[in-house]
Coordinates of all heavy atoms in Angstrom, one line a residue:
M1 N 71.2 99.1 184.8 CA 72.2 98.0 184.4 C 71.7 96.7 185.2 O 71.3 96.7 186.3 CB 73.5 98.3 185.0 CG 74.6 98.2 184.0 SD 76.1 98.9 184.7 CE 77.1 97.5 184.5
S2 N 71.7 95.6 184.4 CA 71.2 94.4 185.0 C 72.4 93.6 185.5 O 73.5 93.8 185.1 CB 70.5 93.6 184.0 OG 71.3 93.2 183.0
T3 N 72.1 92.8 186.5 CA 73.1 91.9 187.1 C 73.5 90.8 186.1 O 72.5 90.1 185.6 CB 72.6 91.3 188.4 OG1 72.2 92.4 189.2 CG2 73.6 90.4 189.1
P4 N 74.7 90.5 185.8 CA 75.0 89.4 184.9 C 74.6 88.0 185.5 O 74.6 87.9 186.7 CB 76.6 89.5 184.8 CG 77.0 90.3 185.9 CD 75.9 91.2 186.3
T5 N 74.2 87.2 184.6 CA 73.7 85.9 185.1 C 75.0 85.0 185.4 O 76.0 85.2 184.8 CB 72.9 85.2 184.1 OG1 73.7 85.1 182.8 CG2 71.6 85.9 183.7
T6 N 74.8 84.2 186.3 CA 75.8 83.2 186.7 C 75.8 82.1 185.7 O 74.7 81.5 185.5 CB 75.6 82.7 188.2 OG1 75.5 83.8 189.0 CG2 76.8 81.8 188.5
P7 N 76.9 81.7 185.1 CA 77.0 80.6 184.2 C 76.6 79.3 184.9 O 77.0 79.1 186.1 CB 78.3 80.6 183.6 CG 79.1 81.3 184.6 CD 78.3 82.3 185.3
P8 N 76.0 78.4 184.3 CA 75.7 77.1 184.9 C 77.0 76.3 185.1 O 78.0 76.5 184.4 CB 74.8 76.4 183.9 CG 75.1 77.0 182.6 CD 75.5 78.5 182.9
P9 N 77.0 75.4 186.1 CA 78.2 74.7 186.4 C 78.4 73.7 185.2 O 77.5 73.3 184.5 CB 77.8 73.9 187.7 CG 76.3 73.9 187.7 CD 75.9 75.1 187.1
A10 N 79.7 73.4 185.0 CA 80.1 72.5 184.0 C 79.4 71.1 184.3 O 79.4 70.6 185.4 CB 81.5 72.3 183.9
P11 N 79.0 70.4 183.2 CA 78.5 69.1 183.5 C 79.5 68.1 183.9 O 80.7 68.2 183.6 CB 77.9 68.7 182.1 CG 78.7 69.5 181.1 CD 79.1 70.8 181.8
T12 N 79.1 67.2 184.7 CA 80.0 66.1 185.2 C 79.3 64.8 184.8 O 78.1 64.7 184.8 CB 80.2 66.1 186.7 OG1 79.0 66.1 187.3 CG2 81.0 67.4 187.1
F13 N 80.2 63.9 184.5 CA 79.7 62.5 184.2 C 80.5 61.5 184.9 O 81.6 61.8 185.3 CB 79.8 62.3 182.6 CG 79.1 63.2 181.8 CD1 79.7 64.4 181.4 CD2 77.8 62.9 181.4 CE1 78.9 65.2 180.6 CE2 77.0 63.8 180.6 CZ 77.6 64.9 180.2
T14 N 80.0 60.3 185.1 CA 80.8 59.3 185.8 C 81.4 58.4 184.7 O 80.9 58.4 183.5 CB 80.0 58.4 186.7 OG1 78.9 57.9 185.9 CG2 79.4 59.2 187.8
K15 N 82.4 57.7 185.0 CA 83.1 56.8 184.0 C 82.0 55.8 183.6 O 81.3 55.3 184.4 CB 84.3 56.1 184.8 CG 85.0 55.1 183.9 CD 86.1 54.5 184.7 CE 85.7 53.4 185.5 NZ 86.8 52.5 186.0
P16 N 82.0 55.5 182.3 CA 81.0 54.5 181.8 C 81.1 53.2 182.6 O 82.2 52.8 182.9 CB 81.3 54.4 180.3 CG 81.9 55.7 180.0 CD 82.7 56.1 181.2
A17 N 80.0 52.6 182.9 CA 80.0 51.3 183.6 C 80.8 50.3 182.9 O 80.6 50.1 181.7 CB 78.6 50.9 183.8
G18 N 81.6 49.6 183.6 CA 82.4 48.5 183.1 C 83.7 48.8 182.4 O 84.4 47.9 181.9
V19 N 83.9 50.1 182.2 CA 85.2 50.5 181.5 C 86.3 50.3 182.4 O 86.3 50.7 183.5 CB 85.1 52.0 180.9 CG1 86.4 52.4 180.4 CG2 84.0 52.1 179.9
I20 N 87.4 49.7 181.8 CA 88.6 49.5 182.6 C 89.6 50.6 182.0 O 89.8 50.6 180.8 CB 89.2 48.0 182.3 CG1 88.2 47.0 182.9 CG2 90.6 47.9 182.9 CD1 88.6 45.6 182.4
L21 N 90.2 51.3 182.9 CA 91.2 52.3 182.5 C 92.6 51.8 182.7 O 92.9 51.3 183.8 CB 91.0 53.6 183.3 CG 89.7 54.4 183.0 CD1 89.7 55.6 184.0 CD2 89.6 54.8 181.6
V22 N 93.4 51.8 181.6 CA 94.7 51.3 181.7 C 95.7 52.4 181.4 O 95.6 53.1 180.4 CB 94.9 50.2 180.6 CG1 96.3 49.7 180.6 CG2 94.0 49.1 180.8
K23 N 96.6 52.6 182.3 CA 97.6 53.7 182.2 C 99.0 53.2 181.8 O 99.3 52.1 182.3 CB 97.8 54.3 183.7 CG 98.9 55.4 183.8 CD 98.4 56.7 183.4 CE 99.3 57.8 183.7 NZ 100.1 58.3 182.6
G24 N 99.6 53.9 180.8 CA 100.9 53.5 180.4 C 102.0 54.0 181.4 O 101.7 54.8 182.3
Q25 N 103.2 53.6 181.1 CA 104.3 54.1 181.9 C 104.8 55.5 181.5 O 104.4 55.9 180.4 CB 105.5 53.1 181.8 CG 105.2 51.8 182.5 CD 105.1 52.0 183.9 OE1 105.9 52.6 184.6 NE2 104.0 51.4 184.5
P26 N 105.5 56.2 182.3 CA 105.9 57.6 182.0 C 106.7 57.6 180.6 O 106.7 58.7 180.0 CB 106.8 57.9 183.2 CG 106.3 57.2 184.3 CD 105.9 55.8 183.7
D27 N 107.4 56.6 180.3 CA 108.2 56.6 179.0 C 107.4 56.2 177.9 O 107.9 56.1 176.7 CB 109.5 55.7 179.2 CG 109.1 54.3 179.4 OD1 108.0 54.0 179.9 OD2 110.0 53.4 179.2
Q28 N 106.1 55.9 178.0 CA 105.3 55.5 176.9 C 104.3 56.7 176.5 O 103.5 57.1 177.4 CB 104.4 54.3 177.2 CG 105.3 53.1 177.5 CD 104.5 51.9 178.1 OE1 103.6 52.2 178.9 NE2 105.0 50.7 177.9
A29 N 104.4 57.2 175.3 CA 103.6 58.4 174.8 C 103.7 59.5 175.7 O 102.7 60.2 176.0 CB 102.2 57.9 174.6
G30 N 104.9 59.8 176.3 CA 105.1 61.0 177.2 C 104.4 60.9 178.5 O 104.2 61.8 179.2
G31 N 104.0 59.7 178.9 CA 103.4 59.4 180.2 C 101.9 59.8 180.3 O 101.3 59.7 181.3
N32 N 101.3 60.1 179.1 CA 99.9 60.5 179.0 C 99.0 59.5 178.4 O 97.9 59.9 178.2 CB 99.8 61.9 178.2 CG 100.6 63.0 178.9 OD1 100.5 63.1 180.1 ND2 101.2 63.8 178.1
A33 N 99.5 58.3 178.1 CA 98.6 57.3 177.5 C 97.7 56.7 178.5 O 98.1 56.1 179.5 CB 99.4 56.3 176.8
V34 N 96.4 56.8 178.3 CA 95.4 56.1 179.1 C 94.4 55.5 178.1 O 93.9 56.2 177.2 CB 94.6 57.0 180.1 CG1 93.6 56.3 180.7 CG2 95.5 57.7 181.0
F35 N 94.2 54.2 178.2 CA 93.3 53.5 177.3 C 92.1 53.0 178.1 O 92.2 52.7 179.2 CB 94.0 52.3 176.7 CG 95.1 52.6 175.8 CD1 96.4 52.6 176.3 CD2 94.9 52.9 174.5 CE1 97.5 53.0 175.5 CE2 96.0 53.3 173.6 CZ 97.2 53.4 174.1
G36 N 91.0 53.0 177.4 CA 89.7 52.5 178.0 C 89.4 51.2 177.3 O 89.5 51.2 176.0
I37 N 89.0 50.2 178.0 CA 88.6 49.0 177.5 C 87.1 48.7 177.9 O 86.9 48.6 179.1 CB 89.5 47.8 178.0 CG1 90.9 48.1 177.6 CG2 89.0 46.5 177.4 CD1 91.9 47.1 178.2
W38 N 86.2 48.8 177.0 CA 84.8 48.6 177.3 C 84.5 47.1 177.4 O 85.2 46.3 176.8 CB 84.0 49.2 176.1 CG 83.7 50.7 176.3 CD1 82.6 51.3 176.7 CD2 84.6 51.7 176.2 NE1 82.7 52.6 176.8 CE2 83.9 53.0 176.5 CE3 86.0 51.9 175.8 CZ2 84.6 54.2 176.4 CZ3 86.6 53.1 175.8 CH2 85.9 54.3 176.1
P39 N 83.4 46.8 178.1 CA 82.9 45.4 178.3 C 82.7 44.7 176.9 O 82.8 43.5 176.8 CB 81.7 45.4 179.0 CG 81.7 46.8 179.7 CD 82.5 47.7 178.8
T40 N 82.4 45.5 175.9 CA 82.2 44.9 174.5 C 83.4 44.5 173.8 O 83.5 43.9 172.8 CB 81.4 45.9 173.7 OG1 82.2 47.1 173.5 CG2 80.1 46.2 174.3
G41 N 84.6 44.9 174.4 CA 85.9 44.6 173.8 C 86.5 45.8 173.0 O 87.6 45.7 172.5
F42 N 85.7 46.9 172.9 CA 86.1 48.1 172.3 C 87.3 48.7 173.1 O 87.2 48.8 174.3 CB 84.9 49.0 172.2 CG 85.3 50.4 171.5 CD1 85.6 50.4 170.2 CD2 85.2 51.6 172.3 CE1 85.9 51.6 169.5 CE2 85.5 52.7 171.7 CZ 85.9 52.8 170.3
I43 N 88.3 49.1 172.4 CA 89.5 49.7 173.1 C 89.9 50.9 172.3 O 90.0 51.0 171.1 CB 90.7 48.7 173.0 CG1 90.4 47.4 173.7 CG2 92.0 49.4 173.6 CD1 91.5 46.4 173.6
R44 N 90.1 52.0 173.1 CA 90.6 53.2 172.5 C 91.2 54.1 173.5 O 91.1 54.0 174.7 CB 89.5 54.1 171.8 CG 88.6 54.7 172.6 CD 87.6 55.6 171.8 NE 86.6 56.3 172.6 CZ 86.7 57.4 173.3 NH1 87.9 57.9 173.4 NH2 85.7 57.8 174.1
Q45 N 92.1 55.0 173.0 CA 92.8 55.9 174.0 C 91.8 57.0 174.5 O 91.0 57.5 173.7 CB 94.0 56.6 173.2 CG 94.9 57.3 174.2 CD 96.2 57.6 173.6 OE1 96.5 57.4 172.5 NE2 97.1 58.2 174.4
I46 N 91.9 57.2 175.7 CA 91.0 58.2 176.4 C 91.7 59.6 176.3 O 92.9 59.7 176.6 CB 90.7 57.8 177.9 CG1 90.2 56.4 177.9 CG2 89.9 58.8 178.6 CD1 88.8 56.2 177.2
T47 N 91.0 60.6 176.0 CA 91.5 61.9 176.0 C 91.6 62.5 177.5 O 90.8 62.0 178.3 CB 90.7 62.9 175.2 OG1 89.4 63.1 175.8 CG2 90.6 62.4 173.8
G48 N 92.4 63.4 177.7 CA 92.6 64.1 179.0 C 91.2 64.8 179.3 O 90.8 64.8 180.5
A49 N 90.5 65.3 178.3 CA 89.2 66.0 178.6 C 88.2 64.9 179.1 O 87.5 65.3 180.0 CB 88.7 66.7 177.3
E50 N 88.2 63.8 178.5 CA 87.2 62.7 179.0 C 87.6 62.3 180.4 O 86.7 62.2 181.3 CB 87.3 61.5 178.1 CG 86.7 61.6 176.7 CD 86.9 60.4 175.8 OE1 88.1 60.1 175.7 OE2 86.0 59.9 175.4
W51 N 88.9 62.1 180.7 CA 89.2 61.7 182.0 C 88.9 62.8 183.1 O 88.4 62.4 184.1 CB 90.8 61.5 182.0 CG 91.3 60.8 183.3 CD1 91.0 59.6 183.8 CD2 92.2 61.4 184.2 NE1 91.7 59.4 185.0 CE2 92.4 60.5 185.2 CE3 92.9 62.6 184.2 CZ2 93.3 60.8 186.3 CZ3 93.7 62.9 185.3 CH2 93.9 61.9 186.3
N52 N 89.1 64.0 182.7 CA 88.7 65.2 183.6 C 87.1 65.2 183.7 O 86.6 65.4 184.9 CB 89.2 66.5 183.1 CG 90.7 66.7 183.3 OD1 91.2 66.1 184.4 ND2 91.4 67.2 182.4
L53 N 86.4 65.0 182.6 CA 85.0 65.1 182.7 C 84.4 63.9 183.6 O 83.4 64.1 184.2 CB 84.4 64.9 181.3 CG 82.9 65.2 181.1 CD1 82.6 66.7 181.5 CD2 82.5 65.0 179.7
W54 N 85.1 62.8 183.6 CA 84.7 61.6 184.4 C 85.1 61.8 185.8 O 84.9 60.9 186.6 CB 85.2 60.4 183.8 CG 84.7 60.0 182.4 CD1 83.7 60.5 181.8 CD2 85.3 59.0 181.6 NE1 83.6 59.9 180.5 CE2 84.5 59.0 180.4 CE3 86.4 58.1 181.7 CZ2 84.8 58.1 179.3 CZ3 86.7 57.3 180.6 CH2 85.9 57.3 179.5
G55 N 85.6 62.9 186.2 CA 86.0 63.2 187.6 C 87.4 62.6 188.0 O 87.7 62.3 189.1
R56 N 88.3 62.4 187.0 CA 89.6 62.0 187.2 C 89.6 60.6 188.0 O 90.2 60.5 189.0 CB 90.5 63.0 187.8 CG 90.5 64.3 187.1 CD 91.2 65.4 187.7 NE 92.6 65.2 188.0 CZ 93.6 65.5 187.2 NH1 93.3 66.2 186.1 NH2 94.8 65.3 187.6
P57 N 88.9 59.6 187.4 CA 88.9 58.3 188.3 C 90.2 57.7 188.3 O 91.1 57.9 187.6 CB 87.9 57.5 187.4 CG 88.1 58.0 186.0 CD 88.3 59.5 186.2
E58 N 90.3 56.8 189.3 CA 91.5 56.0 189.5 C 91.7 55.0 188.3 O 90.7 54.6 187.7 CB 91.4 55.1 190.8 CG 91.4 56.0 192.0 CD 92.7 56.6 192.3 OE1 93.8 56.0 192.1 OE2 92.7 57.8 192.8
F59 N 93.0 54.8 188.0 CA 93.3 53.7 187.0 C 93.0 52.3 187.5 O 93.4 52.0 188.7 CB 94.7 53.9 186.5 CG 95.0 55.3 185.9 CD1 95.9 56.1 186.5 CD2 94.3 55.8 184.8 CE1 96.1 57.4 186.1 CE2 94.5 57.0 184.3 CZ 95.4 57.8 185.0
D60 N 92.5 51.5 186.7 CA 92.2 50.1 187.1 C 93.5 49.2 186.9 O 93.6 48.3 187.6 CB 91.0 49.5 186.3 CG 89.8 50.3 186.4 OD1 89.3 50.3 187.6 OD2 89.3 50.9 185.4
Y61 N 94.3 49.6 186.1 CA 95.5 48.8 185.7 C 96.6 49.8 185.2 O 96.3 50.7 184.5 CB 95.2 47.8 184.8 CG 96.4 46.9 184.4 CD1 96.9 45.9 185.2 CD2 97.0 47.0 183.1 CE1 97.9 45.1 184.9 CE2 98.1 46.2 182.8 CZ 98.5 45.3 183.6 OH 99.6 44.5 183.3
T62 N 97.8 49.6 185.7 CA 99.0 50.3 185.1 C 99.9 49.3 184.5 O 100.2 48.3 185.1 CB 99.7 51.0 186.3 OG1 98.8 52.0 186.8 CG2 100.9 51.8 185.7
I63 N 100.3 49.6 183.3 CA 101.2 48.7 182.6 C 102.6 48.6 183.3 O 103.1 49.7 183.7 CB 101.4 49.1 181.1 CG1 100.1 49.1 180.3 CG2 102.5 48.3 180.4 CD1 100.1 49.6 179.0
P64 N 103.0 47.4 183.6 CA 104.3 47.3 184.4 C 105.5 47.9 183.6 O 105.5 47.9 182.4 CB 104.5 45.8 184.6 CG 103.2 45.2 184.3 CD 102.4 46.1 183.3
P65 N 106.5 48.4 184.4 CA 107.6 49.0 183.7 C 108.3 47.9 182.8 O 108.4 46.8 183.2 CB 108.5 49.4 184.8 CG 107.6 49.5 186.0 CD 106.5 48.6 185.8
G66 N 108.7 48.4 181.6 CA 109.4 47.5 180.7 C 108.5 46.6 179.9 O 109.0 45.9 179.0
D67 N 107.2 46.6 180.1 CA 106.3 45.7 179.4 C 105.7 46.5 178.2 O 104.6 46.8 178.2 CB 105.2 45.2 180.3 CG 104.5 44.0 179.6 OD1 104.8 43.7 178.4 OD2 103.7 43.3 180.3
D68 N 106.5 46.8 177.2 CA 106.1 47.6 176.1 C 105.1 46.9 175.2 O 104.4 47.4 174.5 CB 107.3 48.1 175.3 CG 108.1 49.1 176.0 OD1 107.6 49.8 176.9 OD2 109.3 49.3 175.6
A69 N 105.1 45.6 175.3 CA 104.2 44.8 174.4 C 102.8 45.1 174.7 O 102.0 45.2 173.8 CB 104.5 43.3 174.6
Q70 N 102.4 45.2 176.0 CA 101.1 45.5 176.4 C 100.7 46.9 175.8 O 99.6 47.0 175.3 CB 100.9 45.5 177.9 CG 100.8 44.2 178.5 CD 100.6 44.3 180.0 OE1 99.8 45.0 180.5 NE2 101.2 43.4 180.8
Y71 N 101.5 47.8 176.0 CA 101.2 49.2 175.5 C 101.1 49.2 173.9 O 100.2 49.7 173.4 CB 102.3 50.2 176.0 CG 102.1 51.5 175.2 CD1 101.2 52.4 175.7 CD2 102.9 51.8 174.1 CE1 101.1 53.7 175.1 CE2 102.7 53.0 173.4 CZ 101.8 54.0 174.0 OH 101.6 55.1 173.4
N72 N 102.1 48.5 173.3 CA 102.1 48.5 171.9 C 100.8 47.9 171.4 O 100.3 48.3 170.2 CB 103.3 47.8 171.4 CG 104.6 48.5 171.6 OD1 104.6 49.7 171.8 ND2 105.7 47.8 171.7
Q73 N 100.3 46.8 171.9 CA 99.0 46.2 171.5 C 97.9 47.2 171.6 O 97.1 47.3 170.7 CB 98.8 44.9 172.3 CG 99.7 43.8 172.0 CD 99.5 42.6 172.9 OE1 98.9 42.7 173.9 NE2 100.0 41.5 172.5
L74 N 97.8 47.8 172.7 CA 96.7 48.8 172.9 C 96.8 49.9 171.9 O 95.8 50.4 171.3 CB 96.7 49.3 174.3 CG 96.2 48.3 175.4 CD1 96.5 48.9 176.7 CD2 94.8 47.8 175.2
A75 N 98.0 50.5 171.8 CA 98.2 51.6 170.9 C 97.9 51.2 169.4 O 97.3 52.0 168.7 CB 99.7 52.1 171.0
A76 N 98.3 50.0 169.0 CA 98.1 49.5 167.6 C 96.6 49.4 167.4 O 96.1 49.8 166.3 CB 98.8 48.2 167.4
Y77 N 95.9 48.9 168.3 CA 94.4 48.8 168.2 C 93.8 50.1 168.0 O 92.9 50.4 167.2 CB 93.8 48.1 169.4 CG 92.4 47.6 169.2 CD1 92.1 46.4 168.6 CD2 91.4 48.5 169.6 CE1 90.8 46.0 168.5 CE2 90.0 48.1 169.5 CZ 89.8 46.9 168.9 OH 88.4 46.5 168.7
D78 N 94.2 51.1 168.9 CA 93.7 52.5 168.8 C 94.0 53.1 167.5 O 93.2 53.7 166.8 CB 94.2 53.3 169.9 CG 93.7 54.7 169.9 OD1 92.5 54.9 170.2 OD2 94.5 55.6 169.7
R79 N 95.3 53.0 167.0 CA 95.6 53.5 165.7 C 94.8 52.9 164.5 O 94.5 53.6 163.6 CB 97.1 53.3 165.4 CG 98.0 54.4 166.2 CD 99.4 54.3 165.7 NE 100.0 53.0 165.8 CZ 100.6 52.6 166.9 NH1 100.8 53.3 168.0 NH2 101.2 51.3 166.9
A80 N 94.6 51.7 164.6 CA 93.8 50.9 163.6 C 92.4 51.5 163.5 O 91.8 51.7 162.5 CB 93.8 49.5 163.8
L81 N 91.8 51.8 164.7 CA 90.4 52.4 164.7 C 90.4 53.8 164.1 O 89.4 54.2 163.5 CB 89.9 52.4 166.1 CG 89.5 51.2 166.8 CD1 89.1 51.4 168.2 CD2 88.3 50.5 166.0
R82 N 91.4 54.5 164.2 CA 91.5 55.9 163.8 C 91.9 56.0 162.3 O 91.8 57.1 161.8 CB 92.4 56.7 164.7 CG 91.9 56.8 166.1 CD 92.9 57.5 167.0 NE 92.5 57.3 168.4 CZ 91.7 58.2 169.0 NH1 91.2 59.1 168.4 NH2 91.4 58.0 170.3
A83 N 92.4 54.9 161.7 CA 92.9 55.0 160.3 C 91.8 55.1 159.4 O 90.7 54.8 159.5 CB 93.7 53.7 160.0

């Protein structure tokens, strides 16, 4: 019987350079909304898997309570990209 091989460690990546992470409020999208804003102006919602893969980095900005306009603008841009 042979010894089972040890699986390699999961890859880790750092947050892409220059990306700004914006966190929504708990009442926005179930509290799970995180958007990435790239230096090129590209904006999209970040998945939980990406955030974990990047090592769960700190958020650069949190949308203030009651400021749904900021969240709505980011969410609309993300939805338009996915349409």
